[in-house]
Amino acid sequence: MSDQSVVPIDQILPNKLPLVALMGRPIFPGIFTPIMIGNPADVKVVDEAVAGDGLIGLVMLQNETETPGIADLHKVGTAAKIVKKINLPDGGVNIFISTLKRFRIRKTLSPSNPIVGAVTYLEDEEDNTSEVKALTRALISEMKQISENNPLFSEEMRLNMINIDHPGKIADFIASILNIDKTEQQKILEILNVRKRMEQVLVFIKKEQELLRIQKRIQKEINEKIEKSQRDYFLKEELKAIKGELGMATDAKSSEHQRFKEKIEAFKFEGEIKEAVDQELEKFSLMDPNSAEFVVTRNYLDIISSLPWGNPVPEHFDLKTAMGILEQDHYGLKDVKNRIVEYLAVRKLRKDATLDGKIPSGSIICLVGPPGVGKTSVGRSVARALGKQFFRFSVGGMRDEAEIKGHRRTYIGALPGKIIQGLKIVKTKDPVFMIDEIDKMGASFQGDPASALLEVLDPEQNNSFRDHYLDLPFDISQIFFIVTANTMDTIPAPLLDRMEIIQLPGYIDVEKLEIAKRYLLPKSFEKSGLKKTQVKYSRDSLLHIANGYAREAGVRNFEKNLDKIHRKLAMQIVAKEEEASASGAAGVPFQKFAIDRKAVEKHLGKPFFPEEDIKKADRPGMSVGLAWTSLGGDTLVIEAEAVLGKEGFTLTGKMGDTMKESAAIAMTVARKLGSERYGVLQDWFEKNHIHLHIPEGATPKDGPSAGITMATALLSLMRNRIITGNLVMTGELSLTGQVLPIGGLKEKTIAARRNKAKHIIIPKQNMRDLDDIPDHVKKGIEFHPVERFDEVLHLALPD
């Protein structure tokens, strides 16, 4: 037998190969595996290869694309021999291949359809050191651990791995069966150095082992939870059986059902309520505790059983004690206090006169006034005076009517509205409810809360109020509702109609002085840790704070300024104590402070409202009027100026439409009187452009009550005369010269007093409103009622 020479493998394999693009992972040399080919171009390559030598090149795509070219392929791939081909019904083929050797694409022979490249076959860089042997053992050992814990590794895979005798092929085989990202597998395929390839594969084996450890731990925790739940279930069943033998409730559901049943039977419901509640109770008894509907029904029954369905306890109060509590908590607010006492008197009289025991209904009061005058704090005082529970909630910025009337139970997380929630909290049927900021509600696609309040605040409807969540009639007519607002302009008319309006005016400096002495100073001392005997204020210093730093309608800024002074005093006390402690002194003597006008300016800085800031009409074309805003009364300076030029009339100062119309009327009346009575020539109007301005141009202004003020300023300009000093005015002006009534006279009078005015011109029809103004506010002010504008001119611009 003749000797046959061994032909090297690079001489057997051709130098050019048809290439098949792999969408998935790369395939390593030394693997026998099936591949599914679906791309028509690749199917054609396979058919041609089978017809020839059966050799193809397998290269992974860099970027997945439907029509790949050679530019889309990685540079390193694997040569493979097609062992068998099976045609598939959809036109694709399933081929079984035996991979042979790595290659690198050296040159493009055909860029696409089919892809053919000239290739160079790559040899492993052998490194027969002891390190490689150690790595081989480590790879086999670590893979044995993985295969024992992973059922996906078959016995055949384990045997194949042990029987491979080449270190590089072991690394390739392990890399092909590990769950590694295809990009990382391609990198391993491109590593020719056997030792480096084995080190890289060992890193991925360690990562796989870590993942298996985490997976095992998670599986163990899940099994423990399942075992615990099964154990708990058996224990609960045993406990249920024991309770059954003892005649006790067998589970939590049964005990809850019994609790609900006892509470509901105690209410002695009738008619619709009894029928609906009994149905819910029966449904609850038949439900599976694990169902979602069980929790919904349970919450519903819990709310029903927590509401105060029964009549409230009898009341015991007397008018003298109630008035004493109101006087103790608040200074002034005479109208509010009288209204509360009237309500108590009527309630007591009706209760005494009612033979059938029917309890009188509640009341609905709306307190309207500027911020800081005590509207919200009145609610707690009223509740204390009546001896009732108090619940407050704000509707400012509310845009969803479900906040008032609740959500329907069909929604996840549904809740009753604020009214029912409040009754559940106070646990009585006749509490005092305060609804704050009712003028700041808004409407949206979710509904109109103001409309939802119509039923709540209507005495004819609220005896059978239906909350969407409860869906049962509930009597809320015995609740005493107190509603607060800064202005009535934004409250819908139907809602206003259901409430009794009580106006709370702002405070003058004398009232602020008393409030500070009685309430603000003790409260501020407590907040800052000072003792009452440590700080003494003079009357002048408190008046200086009121007039120079807190000249608003309420007392919030007054309180803030007091707090600021006391914080600075507290800092001085602590600093001296620490200084004495550091120097080893025995102690610091009790520190006292006398706060006078100078000390106020030392702690608060220069006044925000200096005395010279009082608004005056000190030149021709100026007059001072009175305005009413949501922040209380205010003084308004009107300025008029004539400029040589084309005839015209300009208005500035951010006036509203009503005020612009009032200015036009004032101009007409002033021009007529100027020409007919005061001899202002027509030539003057033709050669002058008149500009009427109201300072503080960033503040919106509107309303007709500045009519006489604007006309007076215009005539003052035309006659070049200054109006009478310390005089302010308010009144709407008609085109025929009549002075019409205005609103907010009380607030305007307080503003005039703060501005040191001595004379106020008012419409004659507002004389009736003077009785509502306290005497201490009117003291030192002379009111001049007028019917026509001629009378205004007689007072403001006398001949």
Side-chain angles (χ1 to χ4, degrees):
M1 191 173 176
S2 61
D3 294 336
Q4 293 181 352
S5 60
V6 178
V7 181
I9 193 167
D10 59 351
Q11 293 179 19
I12 296 173
L13 296 174
N15 291 327
K16 66 174 183 176
L17 284 175
L19 304 179
V20 175
L22 297 176
M23 300 286 286
R25 301 169 180 272
I27 298 177
F28 288 83
I31 306 294
F32 184 79
T33 183
I35 299 179
M36 191 82 70
I37 305 292
N39 191 322
D42 292 337
V43 171
K44 184 179 177 184
V45 170
V46 169
D47 289 340
E48 291 177 356
V50 170
D53 56 9
L55 293 172
I56 58 172
L58 304 174
V59 189
M60 193 178 79
L61 280 169
Q62 294 187 41
N63 303 302
E64 293 187 3
T65 175
E66 292 183 2
T67 56
I70 198 164
D72 299 314
L73 303 177
H74 283 278
K75 294 299 181 185
V76 177
T78 307
K81 174 77 173 175
I82 300 174
V83 179
K84 188 176 181 181
K85 184 188 84 163
I86 300 173
N87 294 320
L88 300 176
D90 60 355
V93 293
N94 193 1
I95 59 174
F96 290 86
I97 60 166
S98 174
T99 54
L100 303 173
K101 196 168 186 179
R102 289 174 171 81
F103 67 80
R104 185 185 303 277
I105 301 172
R106 178 168 48 84
K107 185 179 179 183
T108 303
L109 300 178
S110 173
S112 60
N113 294 330
I115 305 172
V116 181
V119 299
T120 301
Y121 295 99
L122 306 173
E123 300 291 342
D124 285 348
E125 297 174 2
E126 300 289 345
D127 194 355
N128 295 321
T129 61
S130 56
E131 188 176 352
V132 171
K133 291 178 182 178
L135 283 169
T136 303
R137 289 182 183 180
L139 285 174
I140 294 172
S141 174
E142 297 292 344
M143 281 304 295
K144 278 183 180 179
Q145 291 183 23
I146 292 177
S147 62
E148 287 171 1
N149 295 321
N150 193 337
L152 295 176
F153 289 98
S154 64
E155 186 64 29
E156 185 180 351
M157 283 185 179
R158 286 193 282 269
L159 290 172
N160 287 340
M161 183 175 58
I162 294 169
N163 292 328
I164 297 172
D165 57 354
H166 191 278
K169 289 182 179 180
I170 290 175
D172 289 344
F173 178 76
I174 294 172
S176 67
I177 62 176
L178 281 178
N179 186 19
I180 307 173
D181 183 72
K182 63 182 183 179
T183 307
E184 299 296 337
Q185 281 187 328
Q186 178 65 31
K187 288 179 181 177
I188 293 172
L189 182 67
E190 294 175 3
I191 298 174
L192 300 181
N193 186 283
V194 173
R195 182 178 58 80
K196 290 182 180 178
R197 191 190 309 164
M198 296 176 81
E199 288 175 349
Q200 189 65 35
V201 171
L202 192 59
V203 169
F204 286 115
I205 290 175
K206 291 293 183 183
K207 288 182 180 178
E208 184 70 19
Q209 286 177 338
E210 183 63 28
L211 287 173
L212 285 171
R213 273 196 291 272
I214 295 170
Q215 182 181 346
K216 200 172 181 181
R217 177 173 56 79
I218 293 170
Q219 189 65 41
K220 183 181 177 184
E221 290 174 358
I222 292 171
N223 290 337
E224 287 176 354
K225 286 180 181 178
I226 293 171
E227 289 169 4
K228 185 179 182 299
S229 64
Q230 289 176 342
R231 180 172 170 272
D232 291 347
Y233 173 76
F234 287 124
L235 288 173
K236 285 177 182 176
E237 290 299 315
E238 287 180 12
L239 185 62
K240 191 187 296 184
I242 294 168
K243 285 185 175 180
E245 290 293 328
L246 296 173
M248 300 167 61
T250 56
D251 57 8
K253 175 188 158 186
S254 301
S255 62
E256 282 191 335
H257 179 272
Q258 187 65 27
R259 178 171 63 88
F260 289 146
K261 188 176 180 183
E262 289 173 0
K263 279 190 174 184
I264 288 166
E265 285 177 351
F267 289 133
K268 298 179 181 179
F269 290 132
E270 296 178 353
E272 177 193 353
I273 301 176
K274 179 175 175 57
E275 184 180 346
V277 174
D278 286 348
Q279 283 180 0
E280 291 293 330
L281 201 57
E282 183 180 356
K283 185 168 72 172
F284 179 73
S285 67
L286 300 173
M287 278 183 176
D288 180 8
N290 297 318
S291 69
E293 193 68 23
F294 176 83
V295 178
V296 174
T297 306
R298 181 194 172 282
N299 291 341
Y300 180 72
L301 289 171
D302 184 51
I303 287 173
I304 285 180
S305 60
S306 303
L307 288 174
W309 294 91
N311 289 328
V313 295
E315 299 170 335
H316 300 286
F317 57 82
D318 62 84
L319 304 186
K320 187 176 180 182
T321 303
M323 180 57 88
I325 291 172
L326 293 172
E327 290 288 353
Q328 179 184 349
D329 289 352
H330 287 85
Y331 178 81
L333 306 181
K334 185 178 178 183
D335 290 344
V336 181
K337 293 173 181 175
N338 288 339
R339 178 63 187 89
I340 302 303
V341 175
E342 289 168 6
Y343 164 75
L344 291 176
V346 170
R347 193 174 180 92
K348 194 167 187 177
L349 191 63
R350 282 190 61 192
K351 184 181 175 185
D352 293 342
T354 305
L355 300 177
D356 59 0
K358 184 179 178 182
I359 296 176
S361 61
S363 184
I364 303 164
I365 293 174
C366 180
L367 305 178
V368 181
V373 295
K375 300 184 298 298
T376 304
S377 60
V378 156
R380 293 189 185 277
S381 297
V382 170
R384 200 159 73 88
L386 298 175
K388 295 180 180 297
Q389 294 292 325
F390 177 75
F391 181 75
R392 173 197 165 273
F393 67 96
S394 174
V395 294
M398 188 180 287
R399 294 178 176 273
D400 187 358
E401 57 98 16
E403 293 286 337
I404 304 295
K405 298 195 70 175
H407 304 81
R408 302 192 187 280
R409 278 194 293 153
T410 51
Y411 300 115
I412 295 173
L415 288 171
K418 291 291 186 185
I419 306 300
I420 297 298
Q421 287 183 41
L423 288 168
K424 182 186 174 186
I425 291 169
V426 298
K427 300 188 186 314
T428 179
K429 211 170 184 178
D430 61 344
V432 175
F433 266 33
M434 171 158 278
I435 305 177
D436 253 341
E437 314 292 356
I438 199 172
D439 57 324
K440 297 176 182 64
M441 286 188 295
S444 72
F445 67 93
Q446 294 172 312
D448 183 4
S451 299
L453 278 175
L454 292 176
E455 181 184 358
V456 174
L457 300 179
D458 190 340
E460 300 300 322
Q461 298 181 48
N462 60 12
N463 59 353
S464 58
F465 170 70
R466 278 185 183 270
D467 184 273
H468 288 156
Y469 181 87
L470 211 61
D471 200 24
L472 294 171
F474 193 94
D475 184 6
I476 61 171
S477 62
Q478 295 173 43
I479 298 175
F480 188 168
F481 286 103
I482 300 178
V483 178
T484 71
N486 293 130
T487 177
M488 292 186 292
D489 297 344
T490 54
I491 303 175
L495 196 56
L496 274 176
D497 187 53
R498 285 162 167 77
M499 304 182 289
E500 180 180 347
I501 309 297
I502 298 180
Q503 297 277 357
L504 273 72
Y507 298 115
I508 59 173
D509 52 3
V510 179
E511 292 175 318
K512 289 182 181 179
L513 179 69
E514 290 300 319
I515 292 169
K517 287 180 180 178
R518 298 186 190 187
Y519 310 107
L520 301 184
L521 282 173
K523 182 180 174 183
S524 185
F525 287 147
E526 185 179 351
K527 280 196 293 186
S528 13
L530 297 171
K531 294 182 176 60
K532 294 180 182 179
T533 54
Q534 274 185 290
V535 185
K536 186 175 181 181
Y537 282 86
S538 66
R539 176 185 174 87
D540 184 53
S541 65
L542 291 174
L543 286 174
H544 185 45
I545 295 173
N547 292 322
Y549 300 89
R551 200 187 287 176
E552 79 282 353
V555 292
R556 281 208 184 111
N557 280 332
F558 200 131
E559 184 178 2
K560 288 177 185 176
N561 283 294
L562 291 175
D563 290 344
K564 187 175 180 181
I565 292 172
H566 295 157
R567 286 195 301 270
K568 291 182 181 295
L569 297 180
M571 186 176 70
Q572 290 180 27
I573 292 170
V574 173
K576 284 188 178 180
E577 288 177 352
E578 290 180 351
E579 186 180 339
S581 176
S583 61
V588 179
F590 188 71
Q591 298 181 57
K592 291 187 178 182
F593 301 92
I595 305 298
D596 55 13
R597 191 184 185 96
K598 187 177 180 181
V600 168
E601 294 193 7
K602 175 187 174 184
H603 294 302
L604 298 181
K606 293 295 181 184
F608 294 115
F609 307 100
E611 290 186 4
E612 59 269 16
D613 195 38
I614 291 173
K615 295 170 183 175
K616 300 175 183 177
D618 53 4
R619 56 179 294 175
M622 292 181 68
S623 61
V624 183
L626 297 172
W628 183 87
T629 68
S630 60
L631 302 178
D634 198 6
T635 48
L636 206 66
V637 175
I638 308 292
E639 299 175 346
E641 191 64 79
V643 183
L644 286 174
K646 188 178 179 181
E647 180 180 358
F649 186 44
T650 299
L651 299 173
T652 55
K654 208 166 186 180
M655 301 184 196
D657 292 339
T658 306
M659 200 169 204
K660 287 178 181 177
E661 292 176 359
S662 184
I665 293 171
M667 182 61 184
T668 302
V669 172
R671 184 166 180 168
K672 185 174 186 296
L673 288 172
S675 301
E676 295 179 358
R677 182 176 300 178
Y678 300 114
V680 180
L681 301 175
Q682 180 65 25
D683 183 61
W684 186 87
F685 292 104
E686 292 174 356
K687 292 182 179 179
N688 285 278
H689 184 96
I690 299 174
H691 187 160
L692 185 74
H693 176 67
I694 304 177
E696 298 179 15
T699 306
K701 309 165 191 72
D702 207 356
S705 63
I708 63 172
T709 315
M710 289 188 282
T712 303
L714 290 168
L715 277 167
S716 168
L717 173 69
M718 295 172 191
R719 297 182 63 189
N720 197 29
R721 288 188 55 187
I722 300 172
I723 68 167
T724 305
N726 292 325
L727 173 72
V728 296
M729 60 191 76
T730 180
E732 181 180 352
L733 180 63
S734 76
L735 199 57
T736 57
Q738 286 184 302
V739 181
L740 305 178
I742 45 85
L745 183 60
K746 191 174 184 180
E747 289 79 6
K748 291 178 178 180
T749 304
I750 291 172
R753 187 175 185 87
R754 283 200 298 264
N755 204 58
K756 312 292 186 187
K758 301 297 182 185
H759 303 273
I760 304 178
I761 299 175
I762 62 171
K764 193 169 186 177
Q765 294 181 50
N766 284 107
M767 284 290 290
R768 62 181 182 272
D769 298 327
L770 291 177
D771 295 335
D772 297 330
I773 303 175
D775 291 337
H776 66 272
V777 176
K778 295 185 287 186
K779 186 178 179 182
I781 297 176
E782 185 177 353
F783 292 87
H784 302 275
V786 296
E787 285 185 290
R788 296 196 58 80
F789 186 60
D790 293 344
E791 300 171 61
V792 176
L793 293 177
H794 179 71
L795 295 164
L797 293 165
D799 292 329

